[in-house]
Amino acid sequence: MIPEVAVSNSERAYALLKADADKILQLIKVQMENLTMPQCPLYEEVLDTQMFGLSREIDFAVRLNLVSEEDGKKLLENLERQLNVLHEAAQNS
């Protein structure tokens, strides 16, 4: 049986990672609406930096057994999917 403290720490870790993913999505939405287009080097640099940072956070949480590798991968894939939708919408407008 997994101790309750471990479960709550795992839930908190996942919630924090999800919040960071949501912040990245919001940052990119604001950037696309107000500042630059997806082809801009600044946009790409911000996106790459943010995604790299999140992937490192997820790797750290996985190594601490706070988040499963599968959940971490799903979180990144979901964010990438949402960002692709934004990117396509910006190109089609």
Side-chain angles (χ1 to χ4, degrees), residues 27-88:
L27 172 70
I28 296 304
K29 280 182 183 178
V30 168
Q31 187 173 2
M32 289 178 78
E33 290 171 1
N34 300 309
L35 303 173
T36 58
M37 295 305 295
Q39 300 84 358
C40 176
L42 177 62
Y43 166 85
E44 291 177 9
E45 186 174 326
V46 168
L47 181 56
D48 289 347
T49 301
Q50 294 294 318
M51 292 299 287
F52 177 76
L54 180 61
S55 71
R56 300 310 305 149
E57 286 182 51
I58 290 171
D59 287 346
F60 185 67
V62 167
R63 288 172 48 203
L64 289 174
N65 292 318
L66 293 172
V67 174
S68 73
E69 191 171 343
E70 182 180 339
D71 285 346
K73 200 177 278 189
K74 284 181 184 176
L75 188 62
L76 272 179
E77 288 171 355
N78 184 44
L79 178 57
E80 288 172 353
R81 212 174 9 262
Q82 291 177 332
L83 290 169
N84 284 334
V85 168
L86 280 178
H87 184 78
E88 288 175 18

Side-chain angles (χ1 to χ4, degrees), residues 12-23 54 75 78 82:
R12 282 187 57 210
Y14 187 83
L16 289 170
L17 292 170
K18 175 76 171 94
D20 284 350
D22 291 344
K23 286 178 192 173
L54 180 61
L75 188 62
N78 184 44
Q82 291 177 332

